[in-house]
Amino acid sequence: MPFEPSVAMDPELIESWLRARSVARNLPQPIRDSGGLRLDSNLPAELRRYVFARPGPGLVELGRSITTPLVFLKLCGPPEQLASLLPAHWCLSPVGYVMTCDATPATAVLAPGHRMETHVDGPTTEIRILDDHGDLAASGFAAEWDGLFIYDRIVTDAGHRRKGLGRVVMAALGAARRSPQSRQLLVATEEGRALYAMMGWEVGMLFSSAGIVDGIGTSASGDSTAR
């Protein structure tokens, strides 16, 4: 059955999310370009990304004109829709899920043998969970910006999974939300979607991505569990 989005693909919502994401990651703010938004990441795995709330001629033209790796085209829509707009030299990355939730994440108990650190820098909060050896077991970021509260880069180390650490990170980040009116949003991978669904989050729309195939035959997405 085709996916039916429950959140309107509103360009203003997408722009607010990208601006909050740039705040959370200490990146330059996005710039309107070609009918979408351009983010000049200038990172080792990503030079630039263009994000479109809807398909349009600007997306099609960028697909034709861009021929170098480390530049990504992203669309709020299913991957087959994005693929239909791009030439064959583009490679799809795993689909993401834009998710929202009305309730603040429930309080969670930290597993024995772990401790939590909280770092706040203006609108950005970072949570780090360390084990008894001081190694990073789980982490995540959040940023509250322009009426939106986003959760970003929620990661649990493979050796520390199934201990509820992801829930603890989400609860600690949620407690940092200053305004109850700030809308909560995250973009998850397939793996993350299942966890967040159990916590009451709902998928609003699909988020598709494509990059230029490199010499090995793959393209990097530059993203993590919560994008």
Side-chain angles (χ1 to χ4, degrees):
M1 180 180 296
F3 177 81
E4 293 293 339
S6 62
V7 175
M9 296 181 190
D10 179 3
E12 292 185 3
L13 172 63
I14 301 306
E15 182 168 347
S16 294
W17 163 55
L18 292 174
R19 294 194 180 282
R21 178 185 180 276
S22 291
V23 169
R25 301 194 180 199
N26 196 28
L27 293 173
Q29 282 291 307
I31 299 169
R32 294 175 184 173
D33 189 332
S34 303
L37 291 160
R38 187 186 82 239
L39 292 85
D40 296 315
S41 311
N42 292 315
L43 298 172
E46 179 183 293
L47 176 63
R48 184 179 305 111
R49 67 170 55 188
Y50 295 85
V51 181
F52 291 82
R54 303 185 182 95
L59 172 57
V60 174
E61 178 56 33
L62 286 171
R64 291 172 179 166
S65 61
I66 297 172
T67 58
T68 57
L70 303 185
V71 179
F72 297 90
L73 297 178
K74 297 176 180 279
L75 173 67
C76 295
E80 57 269 19
Q81 182 181 36
L82 178 58
S84 70
L85 302 171
L86 301 178
H89 63 271
W90 288 88
C91 177
L92 291 176
S93 301
V95 69
Y97 301 86
V98 179
M99 305 185 74
T100 59
C101 185
D102 293 332
T104 299
T107 302
V109 178
L110 186 61
H114 296 81
R115 60 184 174 88
M116 183 169 65
E117 296 180 347
T118 302
H119 304 275
V120 178
D121 183 10
T124 303
T125 299
E126 178 187 7
I127 299 296
R128 293 166 53 89
I129 297 179
L130 307 176
D131 64 14
D132 281 340
H133 303 289
D135 295 327
L136 186 63
S139 61
F141 294 79
E144 191 164 15
W145 191 258
D146 194 25
L148 203 61
F149 187 86
I150 69 160
Y151 298 77
D152 187 52
R153 290 171 290 166
I154 313 300
V155 178
T156 301
D157 181 79
H160 292 274
R161 291 175 183 169
R162 301 186 183 280
K163 299 178 182 178
L165 299 183
R167 290 178 178 271
V168 174
V169 169
M170 290 292 290
L173 291 173
R177 184 168 58 140
R178 295 166 183 166
S179 172
Q181 284 71 45
S182 292
R183 189 175 186 180
Q184 298 182 108
L185 184 147
L186 60 81
V187 179
T189 62
E190 180 66 48
E191 181 182 12
R193 178 178 69 95
L195 170 65
Y196 303 130
M198 289 190 294
M199 298 171 62
W201 287 75
E202 297 182 350
V203 176
M205 67 182 80
L206 300 181
F207 188 60
S208 299
S209 176
I212 301 294
V213 176
D214 63 19
I216 302 174
T218 59
S219 66
S221 66
D223 288 325
S224 58
T225 304
R227 304 183 176 197

